[in-house]
Amino acid sequence: MMKNYSSSPPHCNSQTPHHIRDRNNKKQPSFLCAAPLRLSLRGYGFCMATLLLFCLGSLFYQLNGGPPRILLDIRQYLGNCVKNHWSVKKATDKLLIQKDRLARQLVSCQHFHKHMRGESTYLDDHGPPAPRVLPFPSQVVYNRVGKCGSRTVVILLRLLAEKHQFNLVSSDIHNKTRLTKHEQVDLMKNISNIPQPFLYTRHVHFLNFTRFRIEQPVYINIIRDPINRFLSNYFFRRFGDWRGEQNHLIRTPGMKDDERYLDINVCILENYPECSNPRVFYIIPYFCGQHPQCREPGTWALERAKQNVVENYLLVGILEELEDVLLLLERLLPHYFTGVLEIYKSPDYKKMGNMTGTVRKHTPTLEALQVLYHRMRYEYDFYNFIRDQFHLMKKKIGLKSTAQPPAYSPAFLHELSQRTPEPLDEDEELDADLEDANSWLVQP
């Protein structure tokens, strides 16, 4: 008798379609739950690997002063110029627009053709190497005061500029020290556009760059005993120096013989304009600035000049101690003045330096010196202030003084001031029609 299998109860291996569907429905949620887990772990690992690579790349970039070589190689083979080249071929509907863009990029990325030939393209891809680090300060202005050793220093600067490769710009304008507002702005912009490092020198009164929102350079200067400066200038205008017997005729061709051979004592005692204020008020305006009141002898201009020296000048030396001035400049501005003393003491330079001395210079009488000193009392106040500041800086740096004795001792000058019978009126008004205080003076 045959068994009836159809009526037997269902076994585990014999499942209806409903059972199969239910089992699949039960397995499906577990698969969907596991899939996101695997994707999130993979994505997390990828993010961490990318972050690690970025950190390592940044580290190598900072330690080596540039990106890692492997990143440079990757950029070389995956440069923008290659992609732009193929984008032009594909985007035929925008060919005209892409053509101009490609032309501009191929001009700026000339490494494309080298890349196709297998040549190195690092410089073309990254541009020229970074410029050299500029020394500080890299902008120096020497608004040289006339007859205070300026020609001697300019000769040294020319030799130093060739040696140290800085830009020396020496203006040939000697008789325009005061400028209008527009002339000031134009000059300051021209100075600021000089390639750095530079040293600009000219006979010009102090320029306040910050007033016109222009970066202020560092100032340096040299002055000398006011009476000595006046005497040097007086005789230089008339008889020149040892560079040539006729150079004074070229500098002052309109000077008549009566003026050229005028006795300096007569000039001082008889109040000739050349030997009186405001013309003998000469040094302070170089440091006071372009303000009209800087031209008037008085306390305001004196204090303004002192303030500018303290705030804007790295060094103001005195000509009587020129070797110490050069030594301090070498310490403070080594990228400009290193080796300046060696050049200054060399025999070849001595031959050139001796040619700048003024000829036929002599000292006025005691009576004339008394009058001249009192007219220059503000100049001497400023000169003494600069000398004290200069000696203080030498003491701080530890330099032993090699100063020469001054031409006129303080005791002698004090005696001169006591002998002056009547002081000049400080509130004396300036003649508006007076010739420019500097136009008459053609300086070296």
Side-chain angles (χ1 to χ4, degrees), residues 147 224-237 264 268 358-364 369 372 376 408:
K147 306 310 298 176
R224 70 190 294 187
D225 180 274
I227 291 180
N228 262 354
R229 193 219 65 83
F230 169 77
L231 297 177
S232 179
N233 176 72
Y234 184 88
F235 293 104
F236 175 77
R237 291 186 61 241
I264 189 172
I268 296 173
T358 303
V359 300
R360 299 195 185 185
K361 183 170 66 174
H362 60 270
T363 304
L369 284 177
L372 188 61
M376 292 183 167
Y408 305 100

Side-chain angles (χ1 to χ4, degrees), residues 296-312:
E296 303 177 11
T299 305
W300 189 91
L302 172 64
E303 296 302 323
R304 180 76 170 266
K306 291 180 180 180
Q307 180 181 359
N308 284 335
V309 168
V310 173
E311 295 179 354
N312 298 288

Side-chain angles (χ1 to χ4, degrees), residues 37-90:
L37 182 61
R38 288 196 297 270
L39 290 176
S40 61
L41 288 175
R42 185 180 302 170
Y44 177 77
F46 178 77
C47 293
M48 294 302 295
T50 305
L51 180 60
L52 179 62
L53 180 62
F54 176 78
C55 294
L56 292 176
S58 300
L59 180 62
F60 283 119
Y61 187 95
Q62 298 178 20
L63 292 178
N64 299 328
R69 183 56 180 270
I70 186 172
L71 296 182
L72 298 178
D73 294 338
I74 293 174
R75 181 176 177 181
Q76 177 178 349
Y77 291 107
L78 300 178
N80 292 329
C81 289
V82 177
K83 292 188 292 184
N84 291 333
H85 174 72
W86 289 108
S87 66
V88 174
K89 291 185 177 180
K90 293 180 181 180

Side-chain angles (χ1 to χ4, degrees), residues 96-344:
L96 295 178
I97 299 177
Q98 293 288 349
K99 184 177 180 179
D100 293 338
R101 185 181 304 173
L102 177 64
R104 292 194 300 268
Q105 294 211 9
L106 286 179
V107 170
S108 61
C109 299
Q110 298 178 359
H111 75 284
F112 173 73
H113 301 288
K114 295 182 179 181
H115 172 75
M116 299 302 294
R117 295 195 300 266
E119 299 180 10
S120 176
T121 61
Y122 176 80
L123 291 178
D124 295 319
D125 189 29
H126 297 277
R132 61 171 177 157
V133 178
L134 292 174
F136 180 81
S138 60
Q139 304 178 69
V140 180
V141 173
Y142 170 33
N143 62 322
R144 58 187 191 268
V145 181
K147 306 310 298 176
C148 290
S150 59
R151 284 179 297 161
T152 299
V153 178
V154 168
I155 294 175
L156 291 171
L157 287 172
R158 290 172 181 169
L159 300 175
L160 292 169
E162 183 177 356
K163 178 180 179 181
H164 298 303
Q165 298 299 308
F166 63 85
N167 294 304
L168 174 65
V169 180
S170 181
S171 176
D172 294 329
I173 302 175
H174 306 299
N175 59 348
K176 191 172 180 60
T177 58
R178 299 199 299 264
L179 309 175
T180 65
K181 182 177 179 180
H182 294 292
E183 289 173 339
Q184 294 178 50
V185 174
D186 291 341
L187 178 57
M188 288 186 287
K189 288 182 177 179
N190 291 336
I191 294 175
S192 300
N193 291 331
I194 301 174
Q196 302 180 23
F198 69 80
L199 192 150
Y200 179 83
T201 174
R202 172 180 167 174
H203 292 293
V204 64
H205 294 171
F206 174 78
L207 298 169
N208 189 353
F209 284 69
T210 56
R211 177 189 173 192
F212 301 96
R213 298 182 179 180
I214 302 176
E215 183 180 359
Q216 182 86 348
V218 169
Y219 276 89
I220 60 173
N221 216 324
I222 300 174
I223 65 172
R224 70 190 294 187
D225 180 274
I227 291 180
N228 262 354
R229 193 219 65 83
F230 169 77
L231 297 177
S232 179
N233 176 72
Y234 184 88
F235 293 104
F236 175 77
R237 291 186 61 241
R238 288 161 170 77
F239 309 111
D241 53 28
W242 295 108
R243 291 179 296 178
E245 296 181 356
Q246 302 298 325
N247 63 359
H248 59 286
L249 299 178
I250 299 175
R251 290 181 179 273
T252 54
M255 183 179 290
K256 299 180 181 180
D257 288 344
D258 292 342
E259 182 182 1
R260 190 177 303 279
Y261 295 99
L262 175 65
D263 184 82
I264 189 172
N265 297 294
V266 175
C267 180
I268 296 173
L269 296 177
E270 296 186 9
N271 295 326
Y272 277 68
E274 184 177 353
C275 302
S276 304
N277 281 314
R279 295 188 180 180
V280 297
F281 187 71
Y282 184 83
I283 298 177
I284 290 178
Y286 272 87
F287 300 87
C288 179
Q290 300 290 334
H291 194 281
Q293 199 169 347
C294 290
R295 311 167 193 173
E296 303 177 11
T299 305
W300 189 91
L302 172 64
E303 296 302 323
R304 180 76 170 266
K306 291 180 180 180
Q307 180 181 359
N308 284 335
V309 168
V310 173
E311 295 179 354
N312 298 288
Y313 281 80
L314 179 65
L315 176 68
V316 179
I318 55 177
L319 186 62
E320 292 79 9
E321 303 176 30
L322 182 57
E323 288 194 13
D324 287 347
V325 175
L326 298 177
L327 185 56
L328 278 179
L329 288 172
E330 188 174 8
R331 296 280 186 89
L332 299 174
L333 298 171
H335 42 288
Y336 290 97
F337 288 94
T338 296
V340 64
L341 277 179
E342 298 177 3
I343 299 176
Y344 178 71

